[in-house]
Amino acid sequence: MKVFKFGGASVKDAEGVKNVATVLQKVGYDNTLIVVSAMGKTTNAMELVIKNYFENKAELQSALQEVKKFHNEILLDLFGNERHQIFEEVKSLFTELSNFFKINKSPDYNFVYDQVIGYGELLSTTIISFYLSEIGIQNHWLDVRSCIKTDSYYRRANVDWEVTQGLINKNFNKDILNITQGFLGSDANNFTTSLGREGSDYTAAIFAYCLNATGVTIWKDVPGVLNADPRYFENATLLHQISYREAIELAFYGASVIHPKTLQPLQRKEIPLYVKSFLNPEAEGTSVSKGKTLEPEIPCFIVKKNQVLISLSSLDFSYIVEENISEIFSLLHYYKMKVDVIQNSAISFSVCLENTYNNLDKLLQHLKAKFKVRYNENVSLYTIRHFTENAIKALEKDKTVLLKQLTQQTVQIVTK
Ligand code: ADP
Ligand code: ASP
Ligand code: MG
């Protein structure tokens, strides 16, 4: 069997949904599961709904209305008239969501986030499933929450592989196309959980692992994995074939074309990953598979924007040693900071991180009790894999370098 993943960009409007059908017809969909994300920027819109629920109740309805309007336009384009049953289905999803807001008593932001955020995916897969049926592509809609079981670490839940394996095999229908939601799961109490932003690639890998897929294809708005993000670098070049290891490294350093958790389950079963263009489905794209010789021969550039660089030094010129470092790391873990680079000297310690969960102020307060703290927000972290002197020079031009770290294959540069 094979797994396809269609991300938000591929289903950002009615044309995108129609194109999903075209891709399926062109490349075939026997014994296939498709994992689909929320349409376009819906997840961001849902994040605003959640924020308003907690911080600005007066704007809750208008934020919800935006999401409704966006989907309604797509529905009208796909189905023409409002008498189609899909309108009822979509309406009942919104009713379910409104009911949640009415009865919820939990003040836990992360819990509420996960109960709400997944409506983006529930809407997109319901709409696409109906559309595919409408044009004659028979399909089986799977609720991913009855397939992927996780712990209750809301917004970054961890998969229970054993239970998940059984559930996925029980629910998958070999006879027709299966369609399910990316990025979600459920915990032991059947509350919805999510796997982290951009986690739908990972969902595809989870299904592929549990169903022993022959391959996973993630359909993107780029021709494949390039040696740089074309949004930020000119002349980005396609990497035709790379090893799991190289892909893991690129994703880890922030090449956002593949979610970093995707590779590990695939690598364990040697399931190839294909990254292809949804606009040109028959083109070769990138294939990620086993092999030492599959290293790119050109430098690969990765940029992460909006990072925070924190520099700590001891208050009394004492050394920063194992004990302080372990304390710093437990705070970083506690505040769910994603650490990208660390560097230490005798009396100082620098860390470049991502403030994903908006805990920076709390972290800084905690650190200030123990250390002299300096920090820079809005810095960029550049990584060059397989760097050359020229590549570094070109990158550093016109930038202020705040931190730089070299290993054999990789240089990381924090700039302002
Ligand atoms: P999805 O629609 O599946 O969520 P994403 O937007 O997350 O897709 O991923 C595709 C985007 O990843 C591209 O539009 C591109 O800007 C970005 N990207 C970052 N690094 C790379 C890279 N090395 N190669 C190709 N695309 C990259
Ligand atoms: N819709 C989710 C997000 O935007 C998951 C995904 O697209 O991968 O983060
Ligand atoms: Mg994405």
Side-chain angles (χ1 to χ4, degrees):
M1 66 86 50
K2 59 189 190 289
V3 179
F4 289 165
K5 180 257 175 170
F6 290 93
S10 69
V11 292
K12 69 180 193 319
D13 50 24
E15 280 316 304
V17 175
K18 291 176 192 167
N19 186 58
V20 168
T22 307
V23 171
L24 293 173
Q25 282 155 344
K26 277 193 177 156
V27 301
Y29 51 88
D30 271 356
N31 207 2
T32 298
L33 166 87
I34 63 174
V35 172
V36 186
S37 303
M39 294 171 144
K41 302 276 177 222
T42 300
T43 306
N44 294 353
M46 295 304 288
E47 285 191 339
L48 182 65
V49 169
I50 298 158
K51 191 162 184 280
N52 286 350
Y53 171 72
F54 279 99
E55 294 166 18
N56 187 4
K57 281 246 163 52
E59 295 293 321
L60 174 62
Q61 287 310 323
S62 68
L64 264 173
Q65 202 51 41
E66 280 299 310
V67 180
K68 281 186 196 170
K69 207 174 103 203
F70 173 73
H71 287 88
N72 207 52
E73 273 163 23
I74 294 177
L75 282 179
L76 285 172
D77 196 328
L78 291 175
F79 299 94
N81 70 70
E82 290 197 24
R83 286 189 304 277
H84 197 286
Q85 196 205 335
I86 183 67
F87 285 86
E88 275 310 309
E89 299 283 333
V90 164
K91 200 168 140 202
S92 77
L93 285 170
F94 280 111
T95 308
E96 205 180 282
L97 177 58
S98 295
N99 287 341
F100 170 78
F101 285 127
K102 274 186 208 139
I103 61 170
N104 175 58
K105 292 193 174 60
S106 172
D108 178 347
Y109 199 99
N110 293 341
F111 168 79
V112 170
Y113 181 102
D114 275 4
Q115 305 325 299
V116 174
I117 203 75
Y119 279 90
E121 271 69 13
L122 292 168
L123 285 162
S124 69
T125 51
T126 304
I127 295 169
I128 293 164
S129 167
F130 267 77
Y131 177 74
L132 293 176
S133 302
E134 187 80 6
I135 61 159
I137 302 183
Q138 215 199 343
N139 64 91
H140 174 56
W141 187 90
L142 267 174
D143 189 330
V144 75
R145 296 167 298 180
S146 41
C147 297
I148 296 182
K149 278 288 161 189
T150 69
D151 61 11
S152 301
Y153 195 65
Y154 297 112
R155 296 180 75 179
R156 206 155 84 191
N158 301 294
V159 175
D160 179 335
W161 286 93
E162 224 177 282
V163 181
T164 298
Q165 169 94 41
L167 289 172
I168 284 182
N169 279 281
K170 194 176 109 200
N171 286 305
F172 179 73
N173 182 337
K174 284 194 190 65
D175 301 323
I176 52 172
L177 175 70
N178 292 252
I179 172 168
T180 199
Q181 308 76 46
F183 155 72
L184 308 174
S186 72
D187 67 9
N189 293 312
N190 294 323
F191 285 115
T192 307
T193 55
S194 69
L195 308 174
R197 283 299 308 261
E198 303 294 327
S200 299
D201 293 350
Y202 181 41
T203 304
I206 297 168
F207 276 92
Y209 180 91
C210 293
L211 292 165
N212 292 316
T214 49
V216 174
T217 306
I218 52 180
W219 298 98
K220 301 275 172 176
D221 59 357
V222 280
V225 179
L226 309 171
N227 79 322
D229 186 336
R231 281 176 303 178
Y232 305 116
F233 297 87
E234 283 169 16
N235 308 321
T237 313
L238 180 68
L239 307 174
H240 294 278
Q241 267 200 315
I242 51 175
S243 64
Y244 291 112
R245 198 200 162 100
E246 186 63 30
I248 287 172
E249 298 274 0
L250 291 172
F252 172 80
Y253 287 116
S256 58
V257 64
I258 307 175
H259 187 275
K261 282 181 148 179
T262 311
L263 277 318
Q264 200 232 12
L266 300 182
Q267 184 265 335
R268 274 168 61 197
K269 286 199 175 169
E270 294 185 13
I271 299 169
L273 172 71
Y274 306 102
V275 183
K276 293 188 183 211
S277 160
F278 58 72
L279 295 172
N280 192 4
E282 280 143 335
E284 190 198 1
T286 299
S287 99
V288 182
S289 59
K290 197 181 154 194
K292 275 206 186 85
T293 52
L294 307 178
E295 302 307 329
E297 279 148 16
I298 46 174
C300 296
F301 297 84
I302 302 150
V303 59
K304 281 189 166 189
K305 304 237 169 189
N306 290 319
Q307 305 284 301
V308 185
L309 180 66
I310 304 180
S311 301
L312 308 172
S313 46
S314 49
L315 291 167
D316 56 0
F317 283 92
S318 61
Y319 292 130
I320 294 199
V321 291
E322 293 79 357
E323 198 186 323
N324 322 79
I325 293 176
S326 79
E327 193 183 348
I328 296 166
F329 266 99
S330 57
L331 285 174
L332 293 169
H333 178 66
Y334 181 76
Y335 289 115
K336 295 190 178 170
M337 295 295 179
K338 163 91 181 60
V339 173
D340 287 313
V341 195
I342 54 167
Q343 197 165 68
N344 69 313
S345 72
I347 55 165
S348 77
F349 181 90
S350 297
V351 54
C352 183
L353 50 81
E354 222 171 282
N355 181 22
T356 320
Y357 299 96
N358 279 326
N359 290 329
L360 182 65
D361 291 341
K362 284 180 261 176
L363 171 73
L364 290 173
Q365 217 174 3
H366 224 126
L367 289 170
K368 278 177 185 162
K370 301 257 162 117
F371 305 96
K372 199 168 131 210
V373 180
R374 282 181 300 129
Y375 67 98
N376 277 291
E377 289 182 81
N378 269 319
V379 299
S380 298
L381 167 63
Y382 290 90
T383 303
I384 316 177
R385 299 258 312 147
H386 316 291
F387 61 86
T388 59
E389 277 313 312
N390 279 345
I392 297 178
K393 239 190 239 154
L395 195 141
E396 287 180 343
K397 199 168 155 257
D398 307 325
K399 296 187 184 77
T400 310
V401 175
L402 301 174
L403 183 152
K404 185 167 173 178
Q405 197 170 79
L406 272 100
T407 58
Q408 214 175 8
Q409 291 295 334
T410 309
V411 59
Q412 294 198 281
I413 303 171
V414 179
T415 70
K416 205 170 169 54

